[in-house]
Amino acid sequence: MPRITYVNGRYLRHPDASVHVEDRGYQFADGVYEVCEVKQGFVVDMTRHLDRLDRSLRELSISWPMHRKALELVIREVVRRNGVRNGLVYLQVTRGVAPRDFLFPQAVAPALVITARKADPAQATKRAEAGIKVITVPENRWDRVDIKTVGLLPNVLAKQAAKAAGAQEAWFVDVDGTVKEGGSSNAWIVTRDGYLVTRPAEHGILRGITRTTLFEVAASLGLTVEERGFTVAEAKAAREAFISSATTIAMPVVEIDGAPVANGHPGSVVLSLRAAFFDIAEKCQA
Ligand code: PDD
């Protein structure tokens, strides 16, 4: 089955799918995106992802590329045409194509790209059984990371530094020593008393959709979540640490800057959140 990508109204063979050189996403990172998990043929938490897309678009005064209901159909169609049962769907909306000028172009339609790709669930399970390593890096991003823009260069550099150090994620750390979030995930710990702790999402991090759904999963398991900052030292001394995102769900962190978290093995709380996630999350048939 050939890979198919949606570009501005057309379903194209993936190798032929391209955007114009003067797309403002390409020239100014003037665009936003969403990544949804696809599991067992369902698009997970699509409503929340599209609510967040709406917020990102409004914050940047970019209009919707099409009616929301139509966008839902196209997302599901791209998943279907690619035969993705497990994997992810990526959608990107930019301000559109216009001669390069910093000011917003007048009367230009936003550009929309949607791709879908398969992922092997067995690989994810294996990664969760082993846990991942993180490094910490100083926060060096702008202060509107609550908007899910395609301007991700600091995240790229941080994650590349993590790879060079033999780790899989980098945590941005604020000047006050508290952990903000990962390069492409939110950060959590489980305290010695069994409380889940994650930073409040009002400012300075992306309000992760997986994070939001995990609040409900935690409640269903009788777990309490505290929204507050935590330091790197607190994370190293925690009972468990983990990250959350649409691509990792809840993924154990077993090492921070080379120091083991607890006994250096995935904890039971994160694994129970992971196991219960799909039961609680919204499932939209592709
Ligand atoms: N990233 N924080 C950042 C900086 C992220 O890029 C992401 C997601 C998250 C978690 O958000 P969610 O739970 O909605 O996926 C937090 C996606 C997966 C990516 O860029 O590939």
Side-chain angles (χ1 to χ4, degrees):
M1 180 180 274
R3 253 189 102 185
I4 301 294
T5 286
Y6 178 91
V7 185
N8 295 327
R10 296 197 295 162
Y11 294 92
L12 302 171
R13 287 180 60 248
H14 191 65
D16 305 327
S18 53
V19 295
H20 196 275
V21 290
E22 289 194 307
D23 186 292
R24 289 179 64 94
Y26 181 56
Q27 293 192 326
F28 295 112
D30 188 0
V32 299
Y33 76 105
E34 285 294 330
V35 179
C36 303
E37 186 197 17
V38 180
K39 189 165 165 97
Q40 294 170 14
F42 295 99
V43 182
V44 177
D45 280 334
M46 184 154 71
T47 302
R48 283 184 172 147
H49 281 282
L50 293 184
D51 287 349
R52 185 173 64 187
L53 176 70
D54 180 56
R55 178 179 183 277
S56 296
L57 290 170
R58 272 189 290 112
E59 290 294 322
L60 300 180
S61 305
I62 299 175
S63 48
W64 273 72
M66 60 176 64
H67 194 279
R68 178 167 170 156
K69 279 282 164 237
L71 182 58
E72 283 177 18
L73 286 176
V74 178
I75 291 170
R76 290 158 58 199
E77 184 63 18
V78 173
V79 171
R80 257 201 314 268
R81 287 194 188 209
N82 285 280
V84 175
R85 260 193 74 69
N86 293 289
L88 60 86
V89 57
Y90 173 89
L91 79 98
Q92 175 175 311
V93 183
T94 69
R95 200 180 302 278
V97 176
R100 187 175 183 278
D101 182 355
F102 286 82
L103 302 178
F104 294 176
Q106 296 301 308
V108 164
L112 171 64
V113 168
I114 306 179
T115 60
R117 141 174 131 205
K118 294 176 187 172
D120 180 3
Q123 285 290 334
T125 304
K126 239 165 88 182
R127 210 168 318 126
E129 280 164 6
I132 64 158
K133 300 174 181 177
V134 305
I135 61 163
T136 60
V137 295
E139 175 65 283
N140 61 356
R141 302 172 300 164
W142 74 326
D143 70 356
R144 292 309 310 275
V145 292
D146 56 298
I147 309 171
K148 198 163 174 59
T149 77
V150 294
L152 291 170
L153 191 52
N155 310 54
V156 167
L157 297 178
K159 288 179 76 83
Q160 192 62 33
K163 182 167 198 276
Q168 292 78 35
E169 180 59 299
W171 278 357
F172 289 110
V173 177
D174 215 350
V175 278
D176 67 2
T178 56
V179 174
K180 295 195 74 186
E181 63 179 333
S184 60
S185 58
N186 290 119
W188 302 68
I189 57 170
V190 182
T191 65
R192 297 270 156 199
D193 305 326
Y195 291 106
L196 300 179
V197 180
T198 194
R199 192 184 183 92
E202 272 62 50
H203 188 74
I205 65 166
L206 182 75
R207 187 185 292 276
I209 302 306
T210 318
R211 174 187 179 281
T212 300
T213 299
L214 280 173
F215 278 60
E216 292 174 3
V217 179
S220 78
L221 297 173
L223 299 164
T224 305
V225 182
E226 280 178 18
E227 280 187 276
R228 63 169 174 85
F230 59 84
T231 62
V232 176
E234 194 180 356
K236 284 179 179 167
R239 189 162 112 189
E240 300 182 25
F242 65 97
I243 61 167
S244 67
S245 75
T247 47
T248 59
I249 308 305
M251 179 63 69
V253 170
V254 294
E255 201 179 289
I256 302 169
D257 288 336
V261 177
N263 63 3
H265 293 287
S268 57
V269 173
V270 56
L271 293 179
S272 61
L273 290 166
R274 187 180 174 82
F277 187 85
F278 190 57
D279 293 337
I280 302 288
E282 179 198 39
K283 293 164 278 284
C284 177
Q285 184 78 57

